[in-house]
Amino acid sequence: MDFGMILTAGPSISQKEIDYVLDALQNGWNEKLSEYIDRFEQEFARFIGVKHAWTTSSGTGALHLALLGCGIGEGDEVIIPEVTFAACPNVVVYTGAKPVFADIEEDSWCLDPKSVLRRITPKTKAIMPVHMYGNVSDMDAINAIAKEHHLMVIEDACPSIGALYKGKRPGSLSHAAGFSFQGAKIMVTGQGGMMVTDDDEVFKRAQWLGSHGADGSIKFWHTAVGYKYYMSNIQAALGLAQLQRIDELVALKTQIFNWYKARLGNIEGLAMNTQPEKVTITYWMTSIVMKRDFGITRDELMGKMKERKIDTRPFFYPLSDFPHFEKTDNPMARQVAYNGINLPCGVNLTEEKVDYVCKVLRELLHI
Ligand SMILES: *Cc1c(COP(=O)(O)O)cnc(C)c1O
């Protein structure tokens, strides 16, 4: 059967998104220029369970502002997982601080608290756990370490909108957090993000530095060199509609994972997303990790799948293997990162296509 190229991601756009965006396009100007932005921020804050939410032009911008809001800067060290998207170390560097890489856990693929402990120095100012592929990091352990060592915690919650940790939403489990609505994420605004915090001071500082350092009380008077990471009202209209459908979108992702799990779950040496006890995962990215010799390398497998019109993504590479960062010994990160693949899991994927992907996979893995 020819499905065309089966892609790893792709959004679900309903009539609601079209209606909101058209309305913003036609009416969202002048006195209504921030109507959707305000609604999106208010509903998002309520959904996460925090006081403040601020729309941004990307998840990267949201994370940068979260770090700035928490007072991270020159001379500080921020501990981040070795396996995550390049935005994480980059935003740390933007502030003048240094990213320090800790190892990840074998099953959750998130930051390993035991490794964090080994990376703490007198310069450590913050920990930035990343909720990989829709899982949630071990926040109880990370927050306990932070408390003992007087560190700030900033969640990279970009991939985990809609997940739960002991009944609470990621983004509400630390001092500040960033979310992403980039086109491959669970909910999309094209490009876009949201910075959230429960802390008035963190929010004030992030808002100030995120508005070119504007004083706020006197128009065009600035008291610092800041940044501009605004989202447009038109994008916020799209985001609001997606947020109002978030339960449906997470349910679709979970359904897709379950289809894969039923077909690949019992293969010896092939690991899939694992849900820790305290967590309800969003299954943003259904993924596999090859943990034994299947007679084919990870990259060969991806190449052969591409020939059969199945798009996949490699896991993020270990950051300290990049030439511009300091090599760090994180063995689990290397084992997982170089053997992991994200499978096609756009929310519009059908069971028929999952069936085809799994058939091809089993054939190529010789099982
Ligand atoms: C998507 C993502 C980001 C960055 O989001 P952008 O909106 O593309 O800037 C950061 N961290 C992780 C883990 C992500 O998955």
Side-chain angles (χ1 to χ4, degrees):
M1 200 173 317
D2 188 10
F3 295 111
M5 183 62 80
I6 301 178
L7 298 172
T8 45
S12 158
I13 302 297
S14 72
Q15 192 59 42
K16 185 195 268 280
E17 282 82 349
I18 294 167
D19 290 345
Y20 283 17
V21 170
L22 263 183
D23 180 46
L25 203 54
Q26 290 170 324
N27 306 309
W29 309 97
N30 304 318
E31 69 277 8
K32 285 184 160 185
L33 94 165
S34 69
E35 190 181 39
Y36 279 103
I37 292 172
D38 297 341
R39 282 179 67 192
F40 187 27
E41 289 173 347
Q42 281 160 20
E43 288 195 25
F44 198 85
R46 199 175 324 127
F47 174 73
I48 299 299
V50 290
K51 254 163 105 180
H52 307 286
W54 209 31
T55 45
T56 54
S57 51
S58 66
T60 306
L63 290 170
H64 186 196
L65 293 183
L67 288 172
L68 292 173
C70 289
I72 308 304
E74 203 68 46
D76 298 334
E77 289 180 0
V78 178
I79 298 173
I80 69 170
E82 169 90 62
V83 181
T84 177
F85 183 52
C88 303
N90 290 359
V91 293
V92 173
V93 174
Y94 296 168
T95 68
K98 180 185 167 196
V100 173
F101 308 113
D103 213 345
I104 61 169
E105 294 177 330
E106 182 172 8
D107 295 326
S108 73
W109 310 326
C110 294
L111 191 58
D112 181 351
K114 293 188 296 295
S115 177
V116 170
L117 274 175
R118 290 193 293 272
R119 298 283 181 260
I120 292 175
T121 76
K123 288 184 176 173
T124 308
K125 188 80 176 282
I127 309 170
M128 185 158 75
V130 180
H131 302 323
M132 277 290 277
Y133 302 139
N135 212 328
V136 185
S137 313
D138 186 350
M139 293 307 293
D140 281 347
I142 290 164
N143 281 328
I145 293 169
K147 195 164 177 206
E148 192 187 331
H149 295 269
H150 308 287
L151 308 175
M152 301 294 279
V153 180
I154 296 106
E155 287 163 88
D156 178 346
C158 285
S160 67
I161 301 166
L164 283 168
Y165 181 86
K166 298 204 299 188
K168 292 179 79 182
R169 297 286 180 198
S172 71
L173 308 165
S174 61
H175 295 102
F179 289 91
S180 168
F181 313 125
Q182 179 264 346
K185 295 286 151 66
I186 285 194
M187 54 173 275
V188 303
T189 60
Q191 298 285 350
M194 190 83 80
M195 183 245 157
V196 302
T197 179
D198 218 24
D199 187 309
D200 296 339
E201 287 309 308
V202 168
F203 187 64
K204 232 166 74 183
R205 197 178 154 76
Q207 216 176 16
W208 168 55
L209 290 170
S211 307
H212 281 307
D215 169 82
S217 58
I218 307 167
K219 184 89 180 156
F220 294 134
W221 187 257
H222 297 258
T223 51
V225 174
Y227 305 85
K228 181 189 152 174
Y229 286 127
Y230 299 155
M231 174 184 279
S232 76
N233 197 51
I234 299 165
Q235 288 172 298
L238 177 51
L240 180 66
Q242 291 263 287
L243 177 62
Q244 292 174 351
R245 295 178 55 223
I246 188 68
D247 291 343
E248 180 195 339
L249 299 178
V250 171
L252 288 170
K253 285 284 189 186
T254 307
Q255 172 70 79
I256 290 165
F257 173 80
N258 287 331
W259 286 331
Y260 277 114
K261 183 83 180 169
R263 290 160 176 83
L264 305 173
N266 294 322
I267 297 173
E268 198 248 311
L270 197 75
M272 299 184 73
N273 313 56
T274 309
Q275 182 160 266
E277 208 181 302
K278 301 168 184 171
V279 177
T280 307
I281 309 190
T282 62
Y283 297 106
W284 169 47
M285 281 280 163
T286 291
S287 306
I288 51 171
V289 177
M290 299 160 73
K291 296 176 86 166
R292 68 170 169 89
D293 183 6
F294 284 92
I296 184 169
T297 68
R298 192 270 308 261
D299 291 352
E300 283 166 359
L301 178 64
M302 291 176 59
K304 290 248 188 290
M305 289 179 80
K306 192 79 169 227
E307 284 169 18
R308 309 278 287 269
K309 295 198 176 171
I310 300 166
D311 183 38
T312 56
R313 307 190 336 176
F315 268 37
F316 297 121
Y317 289 98
L319 293 164
S320 80
D321 282 355
F322 292 160
H324 46 289
F325 290 125
E326 200 172 297
K327 189 80 148 185
T328 314
D329 182 28
N330 289 314
M332 187 52 69
R334 288 194 166 72
Q335 222 180 90
V336 170
Y338 284 112
N339 293 293
I341 298 176
N342 305 132
L343 297 174
C345 54
V347 282
N348 292 315
L349 199 66
T350 59
E351 187 169 16
E352 247 190 319
K353 289 186 187 177
V354 170
D355 212 40
Y356 170 71
V357 173
C358 291
K359 260 195 208 107
V360 171
L361 245 177
R362 296 187 82 104
E363 189 190 312
L364 294 171
L365 292 173
H366 313 288
I367 34 174

